[in-house]
Amino acid sequence: MDEVIEKIVAEAKKQVSEFGYSDQWQILSEASQRLEDLGHEALKLEYMIEDMEGGEE
């Protein structure tokens, strides 16, 4: 698993290396959010959890 993460991080660093630091931050922050969303989706699929509306927790 660590090897996959290292490959993803290395590729992300390579892809943003030509941008300025502010743009790198913006790109990497957006990528981070999207990866987090994918992680949440994977957990929902694993445990078959439906999205809960506010107040139903």
Side-chain angles (χ1 to χ4, degrees):
M1 194 179 325
D2 286 337
E3 183 179 329
V4 172
I5 293 168
E6 290 301 322
K7 286 180 181 181
I8 292 168
V9 170
E11 185 63 26
K13 288 171 69 174
K14 178 180 158 189
Q15 292 295 319
V16 301
S17 66
E18 299 294 321
F19 291 90
Y21 293 122
S22 291
D23 288 338
Q24 286 184 26
W25 175 84
Q26 189 172 9
I27 294 166
L28 293 170
S29 292
E30 179 65 24
S32 172
Q33 183 60 54
R34 291 185 189 192
L35 289 170
E36 186 174 347
D37 292 345
L38 288 172
H40 287 212
E41 185 64 28
L43 278 179
K44 285 193 294 188
L45 292 170
E46 176 73 18
Y47 296 105
M48 304 300 277
I49 299 170
E50 295 293 325
D51 283 332
M52 298 183 78
E53 298 290 326
E56 295 180 24
E57 301 166 356

